[in-house]
Amino acid sequence: MRGETGRANIFTRRAIIVGGAQALLTAGLAGRLYQLQVVDSERYQVLADENRINMQLLPPARGRIFDRFGQVLAENRLNYRLVVVPEAAMNLDKALDEIAALVPIEDHDRERVLREARRKQRFVPITVRENLTWDEVSQIEVNAPDLPGVMIDVGSRRLYAFGRDTVHIVGYVGAVNESDLERTDDPLLTLPDFRIGKNGAEKVLESSLRGEAGSRQVEVNAYGRVIRELSRRTGRPGDDHMLTIDLGLQQYVAARFGEESGSAVVLDVHSGEILALASMPNYDPNLFTSGISQRQWRELIGHPRFPLSNKSIAGQYSPGSTFKMIVALAALESGEVSPYQRFYCDGSIKLGKRRFRCWRRYGHGHVAMVQGLMESCDVYFYEVAKRVGIDRIAAMSERFGFGRKLDIELPGEKPGLVPTREWKLARIGEPWQGGETLVVGIGQGYLLTTPLQLAVMVARIANGGIAVEPRLLAEVIRDGQPVPREGETFDPMGLSPAHLDIVRKGMNFVVNEPKGTAYRARIEEPALAMAGKTGSVQVRRISEREHRAGVIKNEDRPWKERDHALFVAYAPLERPRYCVAVVVEHGGSGGTVAAPIARDILREVQRRDPSGRARNLEALIRPHETA
Amino acid sequence: MAQFEVSSRQGFGVAERLLRLDWFLVVLVCTVGAVGIGMLISASGGATEPWASRQMVWFGAGLLLMLGVSLIDIGFWLRAAYTIYVLAFALLVGVELLGAAGKGAQRWIDLGVIQLQPSELMKIALILALARYFHGVPLEGIGRIRTYLLPLLMIVAPAALILRQPDLGTALLLALGGAIMLFLAGLKAWKIGVAVVLALGSGPVVWQFLHEYQRARILTFFNPEADPLGAGYHILQSKIALGSGGLFGKGYLQGTQSHLNFLPEKQTDFIFTMMAEELGFFGVAGVLLLYLGIATYGVVISARSNNHFGRLLGMGITVTFFFHVFFNVAMVIGLIPIVGLPLPLISYGGSAMLSLMLGLGLLLCVGVHRDVVITRRPGSAG
């Protein structure tokens, strides 16, 4: 048995070695485990949480927009969406058939749902239809037990109740695009169905309308399915905004324009509040929120009367004769022309070789300032402008707010243009010509103004020379409470009251004297009576030959070649409160086309008296509809 | 066929054998099995379906198989060793042919109730066969190289077949278990050194045999962060689960990594990770101690045996069992590439459970028959 013992000895020795090795290896495993689970544990705990915890943004309710009396112009409506979860529905085809028996489903929607179902994880809800009516929602809810995996999901949708009438003020929201994302790092913008302001107040007030995102932390599994909610941080809903607009007046103005194109701006002459601001034709902003079709979009941008353009602030027109008040004030302030100084109008004057015509072929005879305004005598203002010079006219224009943006709370405002010697040299490279001063004297030539600027001009004349600035935003309401704001005070422009009286008298006579250019458009009730100034602006140069042959009447020309009709006015005559600027594109004569519109607007605004009535703040102090 | 002479110092009834059974080892095995069933309940989110209930059945069946095997006369196993090996080898070739016919990986034969994996059977069969072979080698023989040629062939042939299946883990286990048996039989340490060098030299050859996904696993092992969502995903998620478990774990049924499915195959290969996540370092250290207890007990049982067959058989089973555990744990904690070995007695799976119980039964059998002396050759007296 020697061999047996020898083998056993070798075995035993080696078995102990193997046993020891096993213990060592186990210790090695334990050591490694100690390193992972004790030494590096914190790092892995962070990684495990990163794995399972997802942050989800909760979009805030967008602030609403109201008119000055609490009428809601932009609000959030609940958008009921019908969604189906393929995993829970088991047989998607059958589920869609069952849904279709309750609410109609278009064939292309059906195809889209089936296509999405193939692409996505089985537990991801797929939208079948949006904007369900309440009846449809009830149909689905009642039958819910028989429709596994079919759910009603509630989202938010922006609604503009008075769409067309307020579109150029309120604007609209739209989907986020690339350039929006570049401007901000707000994570809300990355949400797939998030909408931001694209135009109007919606755009300018975006930052305070939007509010702040809330968030929730959810636990997800490896496939991204939400298992449970861990925590929730509520965001802050966007601020509500009250505008200075009076919706009733705004609707009246839009309706009064009818088929005409152009713009009307109504201001409170003391506060600068914009009571109405219309640009015609207009369009329906709700098209943009629900996704505008290619055809509708082409129609809008190809429209010959440019509905997309906000003509009140972006339309730049020659002011024509409505500018004569500025020339008169510049003349009076300069002392070069006295109010009673007369000039003789025989229908034209000559400067060098050029002849400058009055609108009245055979002239006005001897004309002083009040009469010059009343009858809008061009020759009178040629003479005045020649004496005052372009520098003083330009300076007075700028004091009245021409040639710069007025910075109201709307996008796309244009500055207009007040030509000066320096401007012409820099821009055109030629020195100023004397004849050009004459042309500016009757509000034509290089001069460009917006309807809003014209309205501000009238307001400043009417309020006794206070440099009132226009504004659109009345109140900001945060969490149901008005945000206190500094009251705006406006400085006097340093104009002589006597000079203003003369100009106002001229404007009075324009409307209320039989020889005035707008006498037929006067307001007969003395308490509501208005003062104003007509303007008719040629859109194409009329040659000397045409003059000799006799100018073709506006009505006989193609629409595009007719004059722009302008009228600016304020009311009442004593203690003015409201003013209006009306531009009717290619309307013809200011006195016969624009003045009646302005008259009706001024009568309506005095009847409504929006500045005299208290704002309806209570309407805003109520909780948000939750989205 | 001539018979080995088996002698014993006492009478050998069933009662006697039961008395000599190493009950402490049985208790250790049952404890580990119970831990496994508990973890499978956790893996299915607190339910006994689908895994725990079936695992209980397998475990019960395995327990009976283990006890049954342990009571069978050790002489029977000695005599049947080669037959079992040849049978296992034939089955291995069989699945290889079936796999070739089915144009895919084929590891098992469907027996209706259970899917028999010939590679599982081969682990036991190789140990039996090598134990029998070296039982017959006299002391003078163990110094000669040619003594080891046949055993080497007995190891390499099935290992190569299993590697082709492809089942890297089992092939590795087979080769390592076999090599350690050669060492225990008396092969000189320096010769083993030479063999290791040769084996490493053959690495490039083996690389050619490996499947694309096996190569990816090995490459991933060296740099798991390089591809966190691809091949490196499993090991990275496993380490996150382990590490986030900390000292005391997240609590039973509370593992986030495993219950939110970040952890792959949590009921089979990665069950140790889930255990580490939920029970923490203390929990898994305890489980490792249980395994080490079984392995150490195996060494003791083997060393106490009075016959060389029993010694080698017991040690072979012990070492295979130990490395089975070691490879699985080392794999999920990122010490070695993922080779696809389940955790003995805990991972879900009937086939592995039964073959492990068969092996442990043989170990117990060695213990029961520790005092039996068996002649080196059939019909000779010593």
Side-chain angles (χ1 to χ4, degrees):
Chain A
M1 292 299 285
R2 193 188 58 85
E4 183 57 28
T5 319
R7 289 199 306 187
N9 285 344
I10 291 171
F11 174 86
T12 308
R13 253 196 327 270
R14 294 194 168 192
I16 289 168
I17 291 170
V18 169
Q22 287 178 353
L24 276 177
L25 288 172
T26 306
L29 292 181
R32 170 68 171 167
L33 278 168
Y34 182 83
Q35 193 204 349
L36 283 171
Q37 296 198 274
V38 182
V39 180
D40 294 338
S41 181
E42 261 174 63
R43 182 163 80 91
Y44 288 111
Q45 268 161 23
V46 171
L47 287 172
D49 283 346
E50 277 176 12
N51 259 346
R52 74 185 176 97
I53 297 172
N54 259 9
M55 270 272 281
Q56 290 186 342
L57 283 177
L58 302 171
R62 191 173 175 85
R64 294 167 297 173
I65 300 175
F66 296 89
D67 90 330
R68 63 189 295 121
F69 297 122
Q71 284 274 12
V72 65
L73 307 180
E75 64 186 314
N76 307 312
R77 279 296 172 85
L78 297 182
N79 173 14
Y80 294 98
R81 277 192 293 253
L82 180 62
V83 297
V84 58
V85 181
E87 182 186 62
M90 313 287 248
N91 184 342
L92 194 56
D93 253 316
K94 198 164 139 279
L96 287 172
D97 287 341
E98 281 164 3
I99 296 169
L102 299 169
V103 300
I105 304 177
E106 304 274 341
D107 279 347
H108 66 261
D109 276 333
R110 189 193 190 91
E111 280 162 28
R112 176 183 51 80
V113 169
L114 293 172
R115 202 168 49 237
E116 278 184 46
R118 279 192 295 273
R119 249 193 356 248
K120 290 178 176 169
Q121 299 261 42
R122 305 245 327 133
F123 59 83
V124 176
I126 298 169
T127 303
V128 181
R129 268 197 52 200
E130 296 211 47
N131 299 325
L132 261 66
T133 65
W134 185 242
D135 274 349
E136 289 171 331
V137 172
S138 337
Q139 278 288 317
I140 297 293
E141 294 291 7
V142 166
N143 291 287
D146 303 326
L147 297 168
V150 177
M151 293 181 299
I152 299 291
D153 182 29
V154 186
S156 180
R157 170 172 69 95
R158 198 72 162 163
L159 181 77
Y160 304 104
F162 305 98
R164 288 181 169 278
D165 291 339
T166 56
V167 64
H168 286 113
I169 301 160
V170 175
Y172 52 84
V173 294
V176 178
N177 62 31
E178 292 286 317
S179 57
D180 296 327
L181 284 171
E182 277 165 23
R183 271 195 292 275
T184 168
D185 51 4
D186 189 337
L188 270 174
L189 267 59
T190 60
L191 292 180
D193 54 357
F194 195 74
R195 298 279 183 275
I196 64 167
K198 288 290 181 180
N199 209 341
E202 290 271 35
K203 182 178 186 179
V204 175
L205 305 174
E206 172 64 30
S207 59
S208 63
L209 281 168
R210 187 186 297 166
E212 280 166 20
S215 63
R216 62 175 196 151
Q217 286 192 316
V218 291
E219 186 173 78
V220 297
N221 69 8
Y223 316 116
R225 179 204 287 271
V226 173
I227 304 296
R228 64 193 165 119
E229 184 170 302
L230 299 174
S231 70
R232 179 183 276 261
R233 188 174 62 83
T234 48
R236 187 178 58 75
D239 302 337
D240 285 336
H241 290 73
M242 177 178 264
L243 303 182
T244 58
I245 294 293
D246 173 3
L247 175 66
L249 182 67
Q250 176 77 20
Q251 288 178 305
Y252 178 86
V253 170
R256 181 63 186 80
F257 254 84
E259 293 295 301
E260 300 282 9
S261 304
S263 157
V265 179
V266 184
L267 297 183
D268 178 307
V269 300
H270 300 296
S271 65
E273 288 179 348
I274 298 171
L275 301 169
L277 182 134
S279 176
M280 304 300 291
N282 48 30
Y283 58 98
D284 185 359
N286 294 303
L287 288 177
F288 288 84
T289 53
S290 53
I292 190 167
S293 75
Q294 199 67 31
R295 190 182 57 81
Q296 288 168 320
W297 174 244
R298 269 199 307 272
E299 234 165 64
L300 276 179
I301 54 170
H303 197 292
R305 298 193 179 193
F306 310 110
L308 290 175
S309 156
N310 188 356
K311 290 163 185 164
S312 306
I313 57 169
Q316 302 187 102
Y317 306 91
S318 292
S321 301
T322 60
F323 190 68
K324 286 174 179 165
M325 283 85 81
I326 301 296
V327 180
L329 285 168
L332 293 172
E333 191 164 86
S334 71
E336 299 284 347
V337 178
S338 97
Y340 309 106
Q341 191 174 345
R342 292 159 166 242
F343 298 102
Y344 186 77
C345 168
D346 64 358
S348 66
I349 68 166
K350 273 190 91 164
L351 188 77
K353 283 184 182 166
R354 230 183 118 187
R355 180 173 295 278
F356 295 84
R357 290 185 178 277
C358 185
W359 65 271
R360 194 174 197 184
R361 200 163 183 186
Y362 304 107
H364 292 91
H366 290 282
V367 176
M369 188 168 280
V370 169
Q371 191 196 350
L373 284 166
M374 174 175 75
E375 298 190 44
S376 202
C377 177
D378 291 336
V379 168
Y380 175 83
F381 281 96
Y382 292 143
E383 298 284 359
V384 170
K386 196 165 70 182
R387 284 161 179 77
V388 178
I390 186 64
D391 300 334
R392 284 190 281 224
I393 294 173
M396 184 58 75
S397 303
E398 279 156 13
R399 276 162 79 188
F400 270 90
F402 291 111
R404 65 173 171 87
K405 292 182 187 175
L406 291 163
D407 291 327
I408 65 162
E409 299 88 343
L410 287 179
E413 198 188 343
K414 292 273 168 59
L417 176 65
V418 174
T420 59
R421 293 177 198 280
E422 298 77 40
W423 171 84
K424 194 185 175 200
L425 202 58
R427 191 63 196 271
I428 300 176
E430 286 172 21
W432 187 262
Q433 305 289 318
E436 288 166 340
T437 306
L438 270 57
V439 173
V440 170
I442 62 159
Q444 309 235 19
Y446 300 117
L447 198 60
L448 286 176
T449 61
T450 66
L452 179 67
Q453 286 172 338
L454 290 174
V456 168
M457 172 190 78
V458 187
R460 290 178 179 187
I461 291 169
N463 68 17
I466 306 297
V468 66
E469 296 275 346
R471 63 194 175 92
L472 190 60
L473 186 60
E475 299 278 355
V476 177
I477 296 100
R478 180 168 299 172
D479 302 326
Q481 296 304 314
V483 178
R485 295 198 303 166
E486 274 181 48
E488 247 181 308
T489 54
F490 305 112
D491 298 325
M493 296 163 73
L495 295 169
S496 151
H499 297 165
L500 282 168
D501 280 343
I502 287 162
V503 168
R504 281 199 296 250
K505 188 174 179 186
M507 291 176 72
N508 181 356
F509 283 10
V510 166
V511 182
N512 298 306
E513 286 294 316
K515 288 177 88 177
T517 50
Y519 179 67
R520 281 190 295 179
R522 71 195 176 280
I523 297 177
E524 297 190 18
E525 303 93 313
L528 304 182
M530 69 173 183
K533 181 73 197 78
T534 52
S536 306
V537 181
Q538 294 167 12
V539 292
R540 57 184 279 274
R541 176 177 285 274
I542 297 169
S543 68
E544 201 60 24
R545 198 158 53 85
E546 280 176 285
H547 266 294
R548 277 196 294 274
V551 178
I552 308 165
K553 282 189 175 164
N554 263 308
E555 301 84 83
D556 301 332
R557 283 181 248 158
W559 185 76
K560 272 277 175 195
E561 292 182 6
R562 293 180 199 166
D563 296 346
H564 290 326
L566 279 73
F567 195 74
V568 297
Y570 65 85
L573 277 179
E574 306 298 325
R575 304 166 68 84
R577 188 70 201 250
Y578 302 107
C579 71
V580 65
V582 174
V583 175
V584 181
E585 288 183 334
H586 309 294
S589 138
T592 56
V593 177
I597 294 177
R599 172 199 62 203
D600 292 347
I601 292 171
L602 277 181
R603 190 183 264 152
E604 176 70 8
V605 67
Q606 291 180 90
R607 190 185 68 74
R608 297 181 61 86
D609 195 18
S611 297
R613 285 192 284 153
R615 285 189 198 134
N616 190 5
L617 261 179
E618 292 75 49
L620 284 85
I621 303 175
R622 65 183 177 202
H624 273 280
E625 295 123 277
T626 44
Chain B
M1 188 180 174
Q3 292 295 301
F4 290 95
E5 276 175 39
V6 177
S7 67
S8 72
R9 287 167 204 168
Q10 58 259 84
F12 235 44
V14 170
E16 176 77 8
R17 291 181 196 187
L18 279 175
L19 207 64
R20 298 174 71 92
L21 199 62
D22 215 318
W23 287 104
F24 187 67
L25 187 62
V26 177
V27 168
L28 281 178
V29 169
C30 287
T31 310
V32 175
V35 169
I37 287 159
M39 289 326 292
L40 285 174
I41 290 173
S42 176
S44 43
T48 52
E49 297 298 326
W51 299 310
S53 57
R54 292 168 75 179
Q55 182 82 344
M56 279 186 243
V57 174
W58 292 128
F59 188 72
L63 217 54
L64 291 177
L65 176 69
M66 177 178 83
L67 292 175
V69 165
S70 70
L71 297 180
I72 293 172
D73 197 286
I74 194 165
F76 168 80
W77 296 114
L78 179 65
R79 287 188 297 273
Y82 286 150
T83 317
I84 293 171
Y85 180 85
V86 170
L87 188 70
F89 194 79
L91 285 172
L92 215 48
V93 174
V95 288
E96 171 72 17
L97 295 176
L98 278 175
K103 287 191 164 70
Q106 184 86 26
R107 296 182 181 187
W108 39 264
I109 293 168
D110 202 338
L111 297 182
V113 193
I114 186 169
Q115 290 161 348
L116 176 74
Q117 283 200 29
S119 59
E120 296 280 359
L121 191 60
M122 183 43 94
K123 282 188 280 194
I124 310 287
L126 177 65
I127 293 161
L128 278 169
L130 287 175
R132 165 151 185 189
Y133 178 85
F134 286 110
H135 178 79
V137 174
L139 185 60
E140 310 82 68
I142 60 173
R144 297 191 198 110
I145 295 261
R146 67 179 155 88
T147 306
Y148 299 95
L149 290 180
L150 185 61
L152 214 54
L153 188 66
M154 285 159 68
I155 297 166
V156 170
L161 277 175
I162 292 169
L163 192 63
R164 273 180 57 86
Q165 276 184 350
D167 183 353
L168 189 57
T170 308
L172 208 64
L173 210 56
L174 213 61
L176 193 69
I180 289 173
M181 286 200 70
L182 299 190
F183 170 71
L184 289 166
L187 183 61
K188 284 266 188 287
W190 68 265
K191 288 173 185 162
I192 293 173
V194 170
V196 167
V197 170
L198 284 175
L200 286 179
S202 72
V205 180
V206 174
W207 187 258
Q208 300 299 320
F209 269 96
L210 296 181
H211 278 245
E212 198 54 50
Y213 84 91
Q214 289 174 322
R215 293 180 194 173
R217 277 175 175 179
I218 291 168
L219 292 175
T220 297
F221 164 73
F222 290 108
N223 189 11
E225 274 86 1
D227 184 15
L229 289 177
Y233 182 80
H234 287 188
I235 192 62
L236 202 62
Q237 293 299 343
S238 177
K239 280 163 86 172
I240 290 172
L242 280 158
S244 61
L247 208 51
F248 301 105
K250 295 175 184 168
Y252 184 60
L253 296 175
Q254 306 295 315
T256 58
Q257 285 283 106
S258 31
H259 289 289
L260 299 174
N261 287 328
F262 290 102
L263 194 61
E265 314 205 15
K266 58 178 181 288
Q267 80 279 17
T268 55
D269 290 5
F270 283 88
I271 198 164
F272 184 84
T273 307
M274 186 177 75
M275 200 149 60
E277 188 188 19
E278 297 196 343
L279 308 180
F281 176 71
F282 281 123
V284 285
V287 172
L288 282 182
L289 273 180
L290 287 175
Y291 279 125
L292 186 62
I294 294 174
T296 307
Y297 234 82
V299 175
V300 172
I301 289 173
S302 311
R304 273 168 44 188
S305 175
N306 276 311
N307 51 74
H308 207 55
F309 174 71
R311 290 185 202 115
L312 288 169
L313 176 62
M315 247 347 248
I317 298 289
T318 303
V319 164
T320 305
F321 178 84
F322 175 81
F323 276 103
H324 212 303
V325 175
F326 178 82
F327 281 146
N328 175 270
V329 176
M331 156 182 117
V332 300
I333 66 181
L335 282 176
I336 61 166
I338 295 176
V339 289
L341 280 176
L343 187 63
L345 303 177
I346 291 184
S347 286
Y348 175 73
S351 182
M353 174 72 82
L354 290 183
S355 72
L356 275 159
M357 288 303 216
L358 174 64
L360 289 170
L362 288 172
L363 178 61
L364 284 170
C365 178
V366 170
V368 169
H369 300 91
R370 59 180 175 269
D371 292 334
V372 173
V373 178
I374 310 173
T375 53
R376 193 164 56 77
R377 286 176 180 287
S380 83

